[in-house]
Amino acid sequence: MPGGEPQGTESKKVLKMYILAPSLLAADFNILGRQIEETERAGAAYLHIDVMDGTFVPSISFGMPLIESIRQTSRQFFDVHLMIMHPERHIRKFVECGADGITFHLEAAEDADEIIECIHSCGAQAGISIKPQTPIEAVYPYLSRVEMILVMSVEPGAGGQPFMPEAYHRIRRLRNYIDEHDLPVKIEVDGGVGKKNVREIIDAGADIFVAGSAVFKKRSISSNISQFMQAFKEKEGRTKHGKDR
Ligand code: DX5
Ligand code: ZN
């Protein structure tokens, strides 16, 4: 908070809640409905939906028809991550299909303010994502206008890549800046997140954890998710400005 902390803040308990956002990219599309249901039952409040256009990133994934179809049964928050050029052209349609939050890439935005306004006017939450090479300060001018910043911890475009350790420092800096200015914006992390590094990423300051391979590959979805939930439980409910962070 600018001008110093008000008295008593040090001991104020802030109930921290962490959110898991399973990334559909790693799901088995042959049994997609069943897998989504399993993530919801196991406690994943969000579903992370990666839309790729073959231009902003080399690969092409899925789009509106898939979102519209899974919207019929899932009650999760649909967290749509647009890895596409000209995001403004498609926002309204994605919201109509069932997106609750739309995240666009700053690197693909000609006019970020206009895109944020468009997302809000369509009734969705707005997020900005940045690739690992984009300086974290690039999002600072937008922090009071978006609900979420998505810090990529891999190069966007594919699942199953290893977490880039530089992301810890980037998340920590962003967290410090957000806390100093007392902003309500959430930090999401995406790429290479798993049960081995989730506690460290929590300590760096993230709120929302995207996980594809760590949820859908190996073992069962519910046992994978329960390991994340365990880590969240251990870390939730600490003082916001406590030493743990
Ligand atoms: C990558 C996507 C991620 C991806 C994460 O471009 O944005 O959401 O699915 O996959 P994992 O968790 O396997 O790294
Ligand atoms: Zn993603």
Side-chain angles (χ1 to χ4, degrees):
M1 178 170 278
E5 295 291 343
Q7 272 198 339
T9 304
E10 281 305 323
S11 57
K12 192 173 95 189
K13 275 270 179 197
V14 175
L15 192 62
K16 266 307 254 182
M17 293 288 287
Y18 301 106
I19 295 171
L20 181 67
S23 169
L24 277 196
L25 209 54
D28 178 350
F29 297 119
N30 217 17
I31 48 164
L32 186 59
R34 289 214 301 273
Q35 292 206 329
I36 292 173
E37 210 185 302
E38 196 173 344
T39 65
E40 191 166 2
R41 246 188 293 119
Y46 278 34
L47 253 198
H48 184 80
I49 303 172
D50 290 300
V51 177
M52 304 181 185
D53 66 352
T55 303
F56 181 70
V57 291
S59 189
I60 296 176
S61 58
F62 36 70
M64 288 109 180
L66 177 128
I67 298 173
E68 200 169 16
S69 167
I70 61 176
R71 184 74 283 177
Q72 292 173 42
T73 44
S74 169
R75 283 156 304 167
Q76 289 152 299
F77 183 96
F78 279 9
D79 169 34
V80 174
H81 177 191
L82 296 181
M83 285 167 273
I84 64 173
M85 301 301 292
H86 307 295
E88 65 284 350
R89 292 185 190 166
H90 307 283
I91 287 163
R92 182 162 296 279
K93 196 76 197 139
F94 276 114
V95 176
E96 283 168 9
C97 287
D100 296 298
I102 301 262
T103 298
F104 64 93
H105 267 268
L106 195 57
E107 302 87 355
E110 269 171 38
D111 187 338
D113 287 306
E114 206 175 287
I115 300 173
I116 294 167
E117 214 184 294
C118 173
I119 296 171
H120 285 154
S121 72
C122 291
Q125 293 192 14
I128 294 184
S129 180
I130 47 167
K131 300 206 264 186
Q133 301 308 323
T134 301
I136 199 79
E137 295 81 8
V139 301
Y140 289 2
Y142 307 102
L143 290 178
S144 58
R145 271 169 283 158
V146 293
E147 282 72 37
M148 186 178 88
I149 298 294
L150 168 47
V151 178
M152 290 300 304
S153 40
V154 298
E155 280 302 328
Q161 306 178 70
F163 183 89
M164 298 168 79
E166 307 89 275
Y168 290 124
H169 179 59
R170 288 162 60 76
I171 293 167
R172 198 167 286 120
R173 283 191 56 199
L174 180 59
R175 167 54 57 199
N176 288 339
Y177 189 92
I178 287 172
D179 285 354
E180 268 165 31
H181 294 83
D182 215 12
L183 297 163
V185 58
K186 297 229 177 316
I187 301 177
E188 182 174 59
V189 56
D190 183 5
V193 176
K195 11 203 184 276
K196 291 210 179 98
N197 56 14
V198 62
R199 287 173 180 79
E200 253 178 289
I201 305 171
I202 289 174
D203 290 341
D207 304 288
I208 306 167
F209 300 77
V210 176
S213 316
V215 165
F216 292 100
K217 311 283 185 198
K218 299 171 238 169
R219 313 193 336 145
S220 77
I221 291 172
S222 40
S223 66
N224 290 334
I225 291 184
S226 78
Q227 295 198 28
F228 279 98
M229 294 303 156
Q230 181 57 39
F232 293 169
K233 225 162 83 194
E234 284 167 30
K235 301 277 184 180
E236 275 166 359
R238 297 171 306 163
T239 52
K240 185 177 177 188
H241 302 278
K243 291 222 164 68
D244 283 345
R245 169 159 278 177

